[in-house]
Amino acid sequence: MSEQTWTIESIRDALGNPALAQRFLSEINRAPAHQLLQVFARWERIAKDTVAAVQRGREIAAAQERGEDPTADWGDATDRVLAEAEHTRSRGAA
């Protein structure tokens, strides 16, 4: 789906969740003309991310069915995440 030309309909369909699709349609319909492309681009990115996550989930499930460990090549990001959180807190963010 990422190679296709995205439309309002294809974004709505890619979102999958009816409540999320309704939110998208509501935002795209209420957007002022000068913000329409920004709203569309944001939701296009969300739709692409959703499609990629679904595909990745299917790949993980298929690997597990084959008896493989799909997480074997995943790096541990715990230290990086904790360092970023500490940096954010040190700048006064909640």
Side-chain angles (χ1 to χ4, degrees):
M1 206 170 203
S2 62
E3 299 298 322
Q4 78 176 46
T5 302
W6 287 91
T7 65
I8 290 173
E9 182 179 43
S10 64
I11 290 172
R12 182 205 61 209
D13 292 347
L15 293 172
N17 179 299
L20 193 58
Q22 185 58 43
R23 181 174 163 195
F24 159 65
L25 291 173
S26 176
E27 285 186 24
I28 204 79
N29 283 321
R30 288 188 324 228
H34 69 281
Q35 292 179 350
L36 193 55
L37 289 178
Q38 286 177 304
V39 172
F40 184 90
R42 184 168 60 87
W43 282 98
E44 178 185 18
R45 182 181 34 75
I46 292 168
K48 285 179 180 180
D49 290 349
T50 301
V51 169
V54 168
Q55 182 58 37
R56 182 67 180 137
R58 288 179 179 147
E59 291 168 1
I60 289 170
Q64 287 177 327
E65 286 179 16
R66 293 188 302 268
E68 300 171 6
D69 179 5
T71 64
D73 62 348
W74 293 0
D76 185 352
T78 303
D79 292 334
R80 180 182 55 80
V81 171
L82 291 174
E84 288 175 7
E86 181 57 35
H87 178 70
T88 301
R89 280 192 297 273
S90 71
R91 292 184 303 160

